[in-house]
Amino acid sequence: MGIYEFQLLNKHDQYQTLFSQGTFVDVRIENHYRYAIYSLHQFWVQVSYNQNTNTIEHITAFIAGPLLDAFATDLTNL
């Protein structure tokens, strides 16, 4: 599955695919948010979790860029 096929899935199927096939890489915390990054096939997925409301607010697939840069320091230690 490529990034475009993943993005075409509905949210439920995105979550199911990510959590069954993805590999957890790291988490970072900013204010009341936890941002978890996963590797899935040949792309990355960030899950934004609001700790105050106990909900997942966003799921974002990407290949490179600022979202990955935020985790870059931790990824170099893998």
Side-chain angles (χ1 to χ4, degrees), residues 39-69:
S39 170
L40 181 64
H41 305 288
Q42 299 294 317
F43 57 95
W44 303 97
V45 179
Q46 177 179 279
V47 177
S48 303
Y49 173 76
N50 185 326
Q51 297 179 106
N52 289 347
T53 61
N54 197 29
T55 58
I56 295 174
E57 292 190 355
H58 302 285
I59 185 167
T60 309
F62 58 96
I63 295 172
L67 291 178
L68 185 58
D69 293 345

Side-chain angles (χ1 to χ4, degrees), residues 27-36 47-51:
V27 66
R28 65 185 177 82
I29 300 171
E30 281 185 27
N31 301 319
H32 60 277
Y33 282 93
R34 285 181 177 250
Y35 300 97
V47 177
S48 303
Y49 173 76
N50 185 326
Q51 297 179 106

